[in-house]
Amino acid sequence: MAEFTWELQPRAEGLVDELVEAAVLDSPRLAALVRGLAARTSTRLQDWLDHIGGPVSDEQLTEVGYVEVAPDLWRHPGAQLPAIVPGDRRVVALRVDDAAVFATAQSSVDGVQGSPRSGFRRAVVSGGDAVVIAGVERRSWGRGVEPQEFDPGEVLRAARAWQLLAERPRGFGGPDEVRAATGVMREVVTLVGHDLAASYFLELERQYWQRRNTAAVLQHSRQDRLGLGWGNNDHHTFRSSRASFHLLVTLLTTLGFAVRERFYAGAEAGWGAQVLEHPGCGGVIFADVDLDPSDVDLDFASVELAEGGKLGTVGLWCALHGESVLAAGMHHLEGQFDFDRLREDLGGLGIGHMKPFSDFPHLRQAFTEAERWPVRQLRLAELVAAGQISPETAEEFGRLGAAGSHLENLARRGGFKGFNQHNVSTTMRATDPRIYRPVTAGE
């Protein structure tokens, strides 16, 4: 898909880095925050940026590929980089999950602007500093950089939408339950629109996943000491059975996600993915599914895939744990980090990493060790009867659990927005519950 051939954007990244470096030099408070991010969260300031402001001309922005999407708001359509707001005063806005939590953690007395769960909410924490430092909740790019105040009706609709998503059933069924979940998504969109609906969905999916992943709990606690939450999220990965895959994509497009590139990991991996991105809230999703060689030329996100045959890595995972959008939750959340430092810091807390599956100057990626989840005995018996796993494997899963979820450690450079479409076969095989073996923390 040629329109999604992402290229490095070093000049655009260089402009962002120049603005960051100048802001840090002008602000002792920001310099202290940068040190805190490194030491306490294993991240860089750039991993958190929603937007940055400073003295930059329209010509400079245009030359490196930025486009003005609203008055004095510029974004780069081909890069994973923050928005830029030209102006006389320097502004550094970090993307956070909850601006009020950020304000409290940073001992701010300036208050919070905007309503909870609105499209854009901001907490300025810099006081009289030369640089405006803020934590922002970004749920809609349509709001620009102006905080949104809800009227009473909007407050009630947002609360109802959140409740519908938070309380939706998460059974162990298949297509019928995914269809029912899609009906919930339609109701939520009717209440609050696509941007907020998709944002709420992702926030609640992160919460659900985190409760089932020790690495996530530990890293979130490190980040939340600074009031950040998962504002450094890069993408969210959902696994699906073949029978439910087109329904999962329908659910996501109902929320307003648009399909981006798709790729196939190779016949030996038997797996492929459809990438989706939300134009409003900015969230990115990887939707994974087992694929046969005959599926490669299909637009496999829009057709009903035939069932049957040997389950691959994704199909077995769903057979053991359920659909990601239902009982299982996400397979992993990928965050942006200082790659080597996170490996070292989590290793010191007893969390190991698997071997990196991308190790390039512009893209580094590795999973933490898998969180083992218990598996229902009935599911194991059904898989043995169907010849999908051996009795010995079923006994191991029943005793130890099976590989469930991960936190993914990612570092991007050069504004690269894409993903590694090579070297994924080895990783997929390594995460197959049938052959997964943990590594030692710190390896």
Side-chain angles (χ1 to χ4, degrees), residues 63 70 81 128 167 181 188 220 259 272 278 290 297 325-326 338 344 355 382 408 424 443:
E63 284 175 2
L81 291 169
E167 298 179 1
V188 172
H220 185 267
V259 294
H278 201 284
D290 280 354
D297 294 328
V325 79
L326 299 175
D338 180 329
E344 179 180 347
K355 182 180 179 180
E382 291 173 343
E408 188 173 339
V424 289
E443 287 187 358

Side-chain angles (χ1 to χ4, degrees), residues 71-389:
D72 295 324
L73 178 65
W74 294 68
R75 299 183 68 196
H76 199 302
Q80 186 94 335
L81 291 169
I84 295 179
V85 180
D88 295 332
R89 191 172 184 189
R90 297 194 181 277
V91 176
V92 175
L94 287 72
R95 183 177 54 171
V96 301
D97 280 346
D98 190 320
V101 170
F102 183 74
T104 300
Q106 299 297 322
S107 302
S108 172
V109 296
D110 293 327
V112 181
Q113 300 171 296
S115 298
R117 298 177 186 158
S118 64
F120 186 76
R121 193 172 183 230
R122 175 176 62 202
V124 176
V125 301
S126 47
D129 196 270
V131 176
V132 177
I133 306 168
V136 303
E137 300 172 29
R138 168 71 65 191
R139 297 190 180 88
S140 175
W141 279 104
R143 295 301 310 178
V145 292
E146 291 300 319
Q148 181 180 16
E149 295 289 350
F150 279 161
D151 63 36
E154 289 171 319
V155 170
L156 291 175
R157 289 192 292 275
R160 176 57 178 159
W162 187 272
Q163 180 185 26
L164 285 169
L165 290 170
E167 298 179 1
R168 68 184 179 89
R170 285 184 176 269
F172 283 89
D176 287 344
E177 292 191 25
V178 178
R179 288 188 186 95
T182 303
V184 174
M185 304 306 155
R186 291 193 183 97
E187 188 173 353
V188 172
V189 169
T190 299
L191 286 166
V192 296
H194 289 98
D195 293 4
L196 298 188
S199 178
Y200 295 176
F201 170 76
L202 292 180
E203 289 177 70
L204 286 163
E205 292 304 302
R206 291 195 293 271
Q207 292 178 17
Y208 186 84
W209 161 82
Q210 181 182 311
R211 289 194 293 270
R212 309 191 69 199
N213 188 283
T214 302
V217 171
L218 289 172
Q219 182 59 23
H220 185 267
S221 69
R222 299 179 73 217
Q223 296 179 179
D224 231 27
R225 287 181 178 179
L226 297 181
L228 299 164
W230 287 115
N232 60 330
N233 74 80
D234 185 89
H235 70 265
H236 309 68
T237 296
F238 291 78
R239 286 185 162 183
S240 171
S241 65
R242 286 174 63 87
S244 295
F245 190 67
H246 68 292
L247 299 172
L248 171 63
V249 174
T250 297
L251 181 151
L252 297 174
T253 55
T254 296
L255 288 168
F257 286 90
V259 294
R260 258 178 45 181
E261 67 268 38
R262 61 180 183 268
F263 56 91
Y264 176 56
E268 70 278 13
W271 160 86
Q274 175 67 65
V275 183
L276 301 99
E277 181 175 3
H278 201 284
C281 77
V284 176
I285 286 176
F286 247 60
D288 293 346
V289 66
D290 280 354
L291 289 182
D292 296 327
S294 59
D295 299 324
V296 177
D297 294 328
L298 296 175
D299 179 1
F300 52 79
S302 63
V303 299
E304 188 170 349
L305 297 172
E307 300 181 68
K310 187 71 173 178
L311 293 174
T313 297
V314 178
L316 178 63
W317 187 90
C318 293
L320 291 168
H321 304 306
E323 303 283 341
S324 270
V325 79
L326 299 175
M330 293 191 297
H331 178 256
H332 66 270
L333 177 73
E334 185 164 28
Q336 296 192 50
F337 301 99
D338 180 329
F339 188 84
D340 291 324
R341 186 152 193 167
L342 185 73
R343 288 175 64 93
E344 179 180 347
D345 291 345
L346 285 186
L349 296 173
I351 301 296
H353 274 68
M354 297 176 66
K355 182 180 179 180
F357 59 94
S358 297
D359 201 1
F360 307 109
H362 64 282
L363 183 68
R364 303 183 73 189
Q365 295 172 273
F367 286 137
T368 59
E369 286 184 14
E371 181 87 4
R372 284 185 177 266
W373 291 343
V375 184
R376 295 183 175 189
Q377 289 296 326
L378 178 60
R379 285 185 165 244
L380 294 173
E382 291 173 343
L383 288 166
V384 171
Q388 296 289 352
I389 60 174

